[in-house]
């Protein structure tokens, strides 16, 4: 249960998000941890939920992985204050009832979290400065991941960092952000004891 699940939501392998993903992988390995990756764009995931039970093997694998990891690192850009639609579809299909959460019998309307991991780290990019993202646009990504996804699914610790604006960033600035991401991931691994093999 010590593996970290990296969930990536970006279509381009040349993007800054891809560089963040490489950085996160390297930081986990250097810290002595292990990871699995869900990259729905690269895996050709079909993100549209239809109201028939899915027999898609990729959805099954993703769902199985979700129950067997000790932590989560989510990496994606801010698209209209939300994750890219691909990642929204991933959540709809993979964070299922009785996998990520359930409604206990007689337990009222509050979901009970079922995820195995206890801590999540969310790394976002945007073309807005972090203060503007929070104060002018309402911090929607913070709210989505903390209060709407990980919180109800039982993950009590959610840390988030947004890197931006990316559009007018310099090579030097992006290198600095990658260094910061590396430190955040290393600290996340150590703080949550996500080192070593499955226990
Ligand atoms: C469809 C789309 C919607 C976007 N919406 C926003 C937005 O609402 N706020 C914002 O700051 N940036 C927005 N952006 C800019 C992206 O956040 C930015 O291009 C990305 O974070 C840069 O990282 P990348 O080089 O890895 O793609 C949007 C970009 C796209 C393509």
């Amino acid at each position: 249960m010590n593996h970290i699940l990296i969930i990536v939501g970006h279509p381009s392998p040349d993007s800054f998000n891809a560089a963040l993903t490489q950085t996160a992988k390297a930081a986990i390995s250097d810290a002595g941890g292990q990871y699995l990756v869900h990259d729905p764009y690269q895996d050709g995931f079909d993100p549209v939920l239809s109201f028939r039970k899915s027999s898609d093997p990729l959805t099954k694998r993703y769902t199985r992985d979700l129950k067997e990891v000790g932590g989560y690192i989510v990496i994606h850009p801010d698209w209209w204050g939300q994750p890219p639609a691909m990642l929204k579809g991933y959540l709809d299909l993979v964070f299922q009832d009785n996998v990520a959460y359930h409604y206990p019998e007689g337990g009222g309307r509050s979901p009970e979290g079922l995820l195995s991991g206890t801590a999540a780290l969310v790394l976002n990019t945007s073309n807005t400065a972090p203060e503007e993202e929070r104060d002018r646009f309402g911090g929607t990504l913070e709210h989505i991941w903390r209060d709407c996804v990980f919180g109800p699914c039982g993950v009590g610790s959610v840390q988030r960092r947004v890197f931006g604006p990316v559009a007018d960033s310099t090579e030097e600035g992006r290198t600095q952000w990658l260094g910061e991401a590396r430190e955040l991931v290393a600290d996340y691994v150590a703080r949550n004891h996500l080192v070593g093999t499955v226990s």
Side-chain angles (χ1 to χ4, degrees), residues 38-40 43-46 55-63 94:
H38 289 180
D39 186 339
D43 295 342
F45 185 67
D46 175 0
S55 57
D56 171 30
L58 185 56
T59 305
K60 285 197 170 138
R61 172 163 75 77
Y62 280 174
T63 306
V94 179

Side-chain angles (χ1 to χ4, degrees), residues 1 12 25 30-31 48 52 56 71 79 93 97 119-120 127 135 148 162 180 192:
M1 284 279 192
S12 168
K25 289 179 186 173
D30 290 351
V48 179
R52 273 176 294 133
D56 171 30
W79 283 6
L93 284 155
D97 188 4
N127 279 341
D135 299 337
C148 304
V162 57
E180 196 185 321
N192 296 293

Side-chain angles (χ1 to χ4, degrees), residues 10 15-17 77-81 125-128 166:
H10 198 292
S15 61
F16 184 62
N17 277 261
D78 176 345
W79 283 6
W80 301 110
T125 63
S126 82
N127 279 341
T128 310
V166 176

Side-chain angles (χ1 to χ4, degrees), residues 151-171:
C153 293
V155 180
S157 163
V158 181
Q159 185 187 358
R160 180 172 166 272
R161 169 73 166 97
V162 57
F163 299 98
V166 176
D168 60 359
S169 61
T170 60
E171 185 73 39

Side-chain angles (χ1 to χ4, degrees), residues 2 25 28 33 44 47 54 112 118 131 144 146 167 172 175 187:
N2 272 349
K25 289 179 186 173
I28 293 169
S54 172
E112 191 173 88
T118 54
E131 316 76 57
I144 288 169
R146 182 185 302 280
E172 194 188 0
T175 302
D187 178 63

